[in-house]
Amino acid sequence: MEPKESMALLQGQAEIWQHLYGVVDSMALKCAIELGIADIIHSHGGPITLRQIALGIDSPSPHIPYLARIMRLLVRKNIFTEHRHPPDGGETLYGLTQTSRWLLRDVELSLVPMVLMRYHPWQLAPLHYLSHCVKEGGTGFKKAHGCEIWDFASKNPEYNNIFNDAMACTTKIVMAAILAEYKDGLGCVGSLVDVGGGTGGMIAEIVNAYPHIKGINLDLPHVVAIAPERPGVSHVGGNMFDAIPNADAIFMKWVLHNWSDEHCMKILKNCRNAIPKKGGKVIIVDVVLEKESNDLFGETPMALDLCMMAYTAGGKERTELEWKKLLEEAGFGGYKIFKIPTLTSIIEAYPD
């Protein structure tokens, strides 16, 4: 075997090993959140020793050698910093990075609830059925849990809360990007329905920024049943497949990617019927999939697409051509895509 071919084969082996143990990286990340490591470091206002981290862990006798091994991996992954051999000859200090700042709990923008949901056994189990989905069709979620995800959430309050917390944290992150980059898109809207708005966090943020907007949060009855009162927002329990309240504009964040084209067609037609033919619009916040992209978020959209395959009946991430076809078939005359600094984009769809 030629040296170049041998090196290429070895590189291939190394990449498989990295994929094989990539799950351990994820579990170490989950471990860091469960132990509150980022919060402990943050509470000291700067880098601290391993023993100081251990003292902050909710345990009478944390195992410091195990903690050291967890930290070694997380430093390698740039989750935390390691300051070795300090000038005064003291112990190694561990600090936060721009990555671990997203693992803080008591901050406005945090990914903690999303990480805890993504790595919960309930959420991981369907991914073990991807090959079954390919062979047999159907959803990994139903194969793992005996029912579809929305039925599971309606019958399981604990899962429902975990899911809603995760959606709420991503809502804040996406909302920050929208309010910063989409200012012209909401200024002239008098009333706005957030379809599938969960407990109303997103529409509340919009109404807070644009007090003239009459906000309506539409979601399933069991979801809005636990939604808190929010100024300027009315909660409506209903089904987007049946009808959507009338408004100047309809807003949907990470809704359509949960559904097949056929289901999306029903939702979009209901949206079109709920807005004025002149001046009305549907604001879709979702991933626009690019097969080859140098985007900051890399391959995450493609991984998210496989999650949709595992968790939903027909849900998927869509390319611009797929969005164009879907909107045209639903009766929309035009659309525009706006890039914003987060995982999703904004797609404006117009009835005329």
Side-chain angles (χ1 to χ4, degrees):
M1 184 180 296
E2 294 292 329
K4 286 186 178 180
E5 184 180 357
S6 177
M7 182 55 68
L9 190 61
L10 183 60
Q11 178 65 35
Q13 180 193 151
E15 289 178 5
I16 293 297
W17 281 110
Q18 289 172 11
H19 287 301
L20 180 62
Y21 285 101
V23 65
V24 180
D25 298 341
S26 300
M27 291 301 103
L29 183 66
K30 179 189 177 188
C31 171
I33 289 175
E34 291 174 335
L35 295 176
I37 294 174
D39 294 297
I40 294 168
I41 296 172
H42 183 66
S43 70
H44 283 262
I48 59 175
T49 67
L50 201 64
R51 293 185 182 279
Q52 287 176 303
I53 295 173
L55 286 172
I57 293 174
D58 184 19
S59 169
S61 55
H63 197 290
I64 293 180
Y66 283 174
L67 176 62
R69 290 158 70 180
I70 293 288
M71 292 303 293
R72 180 172 60 189
L73 175 63
L74 293 174
V75 167
R76 177 62 181 258
K77 293 296 178 179
N78 297 316
I79 306 296
F80 297 105
T81 61
E82 179 184 64
H83 304 273
R84 309 179 81 177
H85 309 299
D88 61 0
E91 296 179 62
T92 298
L93 301 176
Y94 297 91
L96 299 179
T97 65
Q98 293 301 320
T99 302
S100 49
R101 291 187 182 278
W102 290 95
L103 306 182
L104 296 171
R105 291 178 181 270
D106 296 326
V107 293
E108 184 64 20
L109 300 180
S110 170
L111 279 168
V112 166
M114 191 65 178
V115 174
L116 293 178
M117 182 196 72
R118 180 60 57 208
Y119 299 140
H120 193 287
W122 284 330
Q123 205 74 354
L124 289 174
L127 296 174
H128 290 280
Y129 290 87
L130 286 176
S131 62
H132 296 259
C133 293
V134 172
K135 291 177 181 178
E136 308 159 5
T139 67
F141 201 95
K142 187 172 184 178
K143 294 176 192 299
H145 299 299
C147 62
E148 299 294 359
I149 187 170
W150 312 120
D151 293 329
F152 189 78
S154 67
K155 298 171 184 175
N156 187 323
E158 184 182 354
Y159 179 78
N160 191 43
N161 288 334
I162 291 171
F163 185 87
N164 285 334
D165 286 347
M167 293 303 101
C169 89
T170 60
T171 289
K172 290 181 179 180
I173 293 169
V174 171
M175 195 65 243
I178 290 173
L179 291 178
E181 302 292 331
Y182 187 61
K183 297 176 182 178
D184 296 337
L186 295 168
C188 59
V189 173
S191 55
L192 182 69
V193 178
D194 187 359
V195 175
T199 57
M202 177 70 85
I203 191 69
E205 288 285 334
I206 293 174
V207 170
N208 184 57
Y210 299 90
H212 68 278
I213 293 179
K214 175 187 175 183
I216 303 168
N217 178 50
L218 174 70
D219 214 309
L220 296 171
H222 77 271
V223 177
V224 298
I226 62 172
E229 290 188 15
R230 300 182 186 274
V233 175
S234 59
H235 297 291
V236 177
N239 192 318
M240 61 190 172
F241 293 106
D242 296 331
I244 292 171
N246 292 337
D248 295 335
I250 307 296
F251 188 94
M252 291 187 287
K253 177 187 76 73
W254 269 345
V255 171
L256 297 181
H257 79 156
N258 291 309
W259 301 98
S260 67
D261 289 348
E262 292 73 21
H263 284 94
C264 286
M265 202 75 65
K266 293 179 182 178
I267 299 169
L268 287 167
K269 286 181 178 179
N270 285 340
C271 289
R272 185 165 52 86
N273 291 335
I275 59 175
K277 290 184 178 179
K278 290 186 178 180
K281 63 182 175 181
V282 177
I283 304 166
I284 301 165
V285 181
D286 232 316
V287 167
V288 178
L289 191 64
E290 298 179 52
K291 294 181 180 179
E292 296 182 9
S293 172
N294 294 321
D295 186 83
L296 182 65
F297 292 92
E299 298 172 356
T300 303
M302 289 192 179
L304 187 56
D305 181 52
L306 294 192
C307 288
M308 292 302 101
M309 187 173 87
Y311 301 142
T312 67
K316 61 180 180 179
E317 305 304 338
R318 294 174 171 88
T319 64
E320 181 176 351
L321 286 178
E322 289 173 321
W323 280 115
K324 181 175 184 292
K325 182 174 183 290
L326 187 62
L327 292 169
E328 287 177 349
E329 292 181 358
F332 288 87
Y335 73 93
K336 287 183 182 177
I337 295 177
F338 300 85
K339 292 275 191 179
I340 56 175
T342 187
L343 183 60
T344 57
S345 295
I346 294 174
I347 306 167
E348 277 189 354
Y350 318 109
D352 292 330

